[in-house]
Amino acid sequence: MMIRVTDFLKTLSGWRRGCVAIFLGVAAALSLPPYDAWPLLFVAVPGVLVMLEALTRRDIRKSFLLGWWFGFGYFLFAFHWIGFAFLVNAKDYLWMMPFAVGGLSAAMAIYWGLAFTCVAMAGCKRLPMVLIFAAAIGVAEILRGILFTGFPWAAPGLAVDGMGALAQTASLWGMAGLTMFVLLWSGVWPLILDGGVKRSQRITAALILLTLPLSLMWGSWRLHDAAVATVADVNIRIVQPNISQDDKWRGENMRGIFDQLLEMSGRPSKNGKAVTHVVWPESAVPFLIDESERGRAEVAQLLGANRTLITGTLRREKSSNGNSDDDRIYNSVLAFDGSGTVAAQYDKWRLVPGGEFLPFEWMLKPMGFRKVVTVPGSFAAGLGPVTFSLAGAPPVGFSICYEAIFPDNLVDVKNRPAWLINVTNDGWFGNSTGPYQHLSQLRLRAIEQGLSIVRAANTGVSAVIDPYGRYVETLPIGHEGIIDSGLPQSLPPPPFARFGQLFVFMMVLVLCATGFVLRIQS
């Protein structure tokens, strides 16, 4: 049966090859959360590699197109949740949906097309091709997270979220390493069963596949008896108001939203411990709270002497020329002490393309394209990760929404925090796959950094995550509620937090060198 399928894939050409590649890309994307159908990778990856192997070294254009079609199917399915944002104000934005989702998927697929081109140019077959393929996609994924502001959402390595303790290996080599291992494991298993492959290559393929159960065993060992104590005298309250995006920015709702946040923050403690730090989600209040004397006075009344409020909010820096059109608007996190004074200020520095700024504005704006978030001009970017000192708590780092998907530069490495707070508003995307994938990526950040993370989401999922990536408390999507939780203590920096992508670059070199050596020997 497998031989017949392989022969069929090898004979495909033209639009038929493209359609099957798209289908296989969609199948591969089903490995991601919340579907977690990761066994499909073990079908999709070998399938597309069979088609790639059928092309010759001279078929550069066809190789690129094969990788592009495969990537387009993968990213189109993985990114379909983005389209939900255009339904919030469908009258003005719905027409942009296919351009945004389809255009972004097409652009991201270019990276995979180039990776397939590199594999084809290497002229490798069988095991050497699988090795170089894993390395090429790994490098492509790193570049996808860096170039043109970067958008590393939905890397294949995210499939480990559904593979149990295997996710613990993120502490060793991060997302790019996970991606390469996942592609290796899913690509080599057919070679073990193929009698046409040299015995030495079948043995090597078996040894590579053996690292899958070994990694799972290592992850299980890491979690065995991994009890995490809580930080003394710190009790976090997360407020999830569950305010729909349709209602959030209507002027008549401003007072009611603020009252709801204050009321939820002042409720009796659910765990019997005095609340020390209250966390509201991204852009929680629909006004500039730091400029509102009444707002800060009511916050002070809520907090009293011994509590701190950390909230996402818009912040304005007024222009020196007095022209409000030149004011700088930031997506920020502000921490207020018991007197209503700003004790810490963090400005988001990784802005969402198409959401918080319009890329290629000089070209797209005349065509009618606009940002989804309606503020005059584009948001201004902050300076980068910073570690802050808050009263009564260990040093903390902040991140806002989309920043959680970037493995690199998540924290200030020169002044490492002891925990992280992430505020987000996934209300734009309803109950789509987006919020779940967003949370899963944040969970991997906890494992990579060995840091506990407190997440406040407007509509869910809010969570407290320990440094092993385990959910201590969660609030599901579409629910109003609070979480009262102690703060799990963090771990010493694991290898990825200390060395970053060093292991990944070494792995790329090893895979490529081994692939070329095996190619010469074959």
Side-chain angles (χ1 to χ4, degrees):
M1 176 65 178
M2 188 171 72
I3 295 175
R4 288 199 296 270
V5 172
T6 299
D7 290 340
F8 168 74
L9 292 174
K10 287 180 178 178
T11 62
L12 292 172
S13 61
W15 65 269
R16 293 179 178 85
R17 183 193 292 126
C19 289
V20 171
I22 291 175
F23 174 79
L24 292 175
V26 171
L30 283 166
S31 67
L32 304 174
Y35 305 105
D36 294 326
W38 56 266
L40 288 177
L41 277 174
F42 288 72
V43 176
V45 171
V48 78
L49 287 177
V50 166
M51 290 193 288
L52 180 59
E53 188 173 0
L55 300 175
T56 69
R57 192 173 182 178
R58 295 186 298 274
D59 291 328
I60 300 301
R61 184 183 66 86
K62 293 178 181 179
S63 300
F64 174 85
L65 287 174
L66 176 64
W68 187 87
W69 284 119
F70 182 63
F72 182 71
Y74 179 90
F75 291 119
L76 188 65
F77 188 84
F79 295 164
H80 77 269
W81 55 270
I82 296 174
F84 282 67
F86 297 91
L87 301 176
V88 174
N89 187 0
K91 177 177 174 290
D92 294 328
Y93 295 108
L94 185 60
W95 70 272
M96 294 168 54
M97 182 197 294
F99 296 98
V101 180
L104 181 62
S105 302
M108 296 298 102
I110 292 173
Y111 290 97
W112 286 22
L114 293 173
F116 273 59
T117 302
C118 292
V119 177
M121 292 176 66
C124 297
K125 305 291 183 182
R126 307 298 176 88
L127 181 58
M129 184 182 69
V130 176
L131 299 179
I132 294 177
F133 170 78
I137 295 292
V139 172
E141 285 298 293
I142 292 175
L143 295 176
R144 190 165 70 86
I146 297 173
L147 300 180
F148 310 109
T149 76
F151 189 70
W153 192 286
L158 187 59
V160 302
D161 187 72
M163 300 173 76
L166 195 64
Q168 295 302 309
T169 59
S171 64
L172 303 176
W173 41 67
M175 179 63 82
L178 290 174
T179 290
M180 286 192 283
F181 272 109
V182 163
L183 294 177
L184 281 173
W185 294 328
S186 54
V188 298
W189 73 267
L191 302 177
I192 301 172
L193 308 176
D194 190 345
V197 177
K198 283 187 175 181
R199 183 172 180 272
S200 60
Q201 289 196 17
R202 293 205 306 273
I203 293 173
T204 304
L207 291 174
I208 291 172
L209 192 59
L210 182 62
T211 62
L212 172 54
L214 290 176
S215 297
L216 186 60
M217 291 170 60
W218 181 86
S220 300
W221 169 80
R222 188 172 192 255
L223 291 175
H224 181 65
D225 290 336
V228 177
T230 56
V231 178
D233 301 323
V234 175
N235 192 40
I236 308 292
R237 167 162 294 182
I238 301 172
V239 176
Q240 181 172 301
N242 193 37
I243 300 165
S244 75
Q245 206 60 34
D246 288 327
D247 296 331
K248 189 171 182 65
W249 297 104
R250 294 182 179 177
E252 65 270 22
N253 295 334
M254 186 183 302
R255 181 71 248 184
I257 291 173
F258 192 42
D259 285 343
Q260 178 185 354
L261 291 164
L262 293 172
E263 185 275 326
M264 295 177 72
S265 302
R267 292 176 186 175
S269 174
K270 295 175 66 176
N271 61 7
K273 300 178 181 178
V275 174
T276 58
H277 298 80
V278 181
V279 186
W280 292 354
E282 179 186 14
S283 57
V285 290
F287 61 92
L288 301 175
I289 188 171
D290 60 322
E291 295 185 14
S292 170
E293 288 189 24
R294 181 175 177 181
R296 288 186 284 108
E298 293 185 39
V299 165
Q301 185 178 359
L302 164 74
L303 296 176
N306 300 316
R307 290 200 288 183
T308 299
L309 170 67
I310 300 101
T311 181
T313 182
L314 300 187
R315 189 182 70 82
R316 174 173 60 183
E317 281 187 4
K318 294 184 179 180
S319 66
S320 58
N321 61 17
N323 185 350
S324 61
D325 290 339
D326 295 331
D327 292 347
R328 297 170 67 87
I329 305 297
Y330 293 88
N331 188 355
S332 302
V333 172
L334 298 179
F336 292 92
D337 62 21
S339 67
T341 301
V342 175
Q345 170 190 301
Y346 169 80
D347 299 319
K348 186 178 184 182
W349 63 286
R350 292 190 189 270
L351 302 178
V352 181
E356 293 166 321
F357 77 99
L358 186 64
F360 308 110
E361 185 172 4
W362 59 272
M363 178 178 65
L364 296 178
K365 193 171 183 179
M367 298 169 61
F369 289 91
R370 288 176 287 170
K371 297 182 285 75
V372 174
V373 182
T374 53
V375 298
S378 294
F379 281 90
L383 300 177
V386 181
T387 299
F388 297 92
S389 296
L390 298 181
V396 62
F398 297 135
S399 66
I400 301 175
C401 188
Y402 166 81
E403 293 179 318
I405 73 173
F406 291 87
D408 299 307
N409 297 321
L410 183 68
V411 302
D412 181 357
V413 294
K414 295 181 179 179
N415 185 19
R416 177 178 162 88
W419 59 302
L420 298 173
I421 293 176
N422 175 258
V423 299
T424 189
N425 177 21
D426 289 344
W428 293 96
F429 310 109
N431 195 22
S432 67
T433 60
Y436 297 101
Q437 292 179 8
H438 197 185
L439 177 66
S440 296
Q441 290 172 100
L442 183 66
R443 173 186 173 237
L444 287 176
R445 302 295 88 81
I447 299 172
E448 289 167 351
Q449 296 294 331
L451 296 175
S452 299
I453 301 180
V454 171
R455 185 188 204 237
N458 173 32
T459 56
V461 178
S462 296
V464 176
I465 307 171
D466 80 3
Y468 293 98
R470 298 176 296 194
Y471 298 118
V472 178
E473 298 276 357
T474 60
L475 268 175
I477 288 177
H479 286 68
E480 174 194 309
I482 58 175
I483 292 175
D484 287 340
S485 172
L487 175 63
Q489 292 182 357
S490 293
L491 302 173
F496 182 79
R498 284 183 285 152
F499 304 116
Q501 304 286 9
L502 177 61
F503 177 85
V504 172
F505 293 131
M506 292 173 59
M507 186 176 173
V508 168
L509 293 175
V510 169
L511 289 176
C512 291
T514 305
F516 282 112
V517 168
L518 291 175
R519 174 178 175 269
I520 294 171
Q521 292 177 347
S522 60

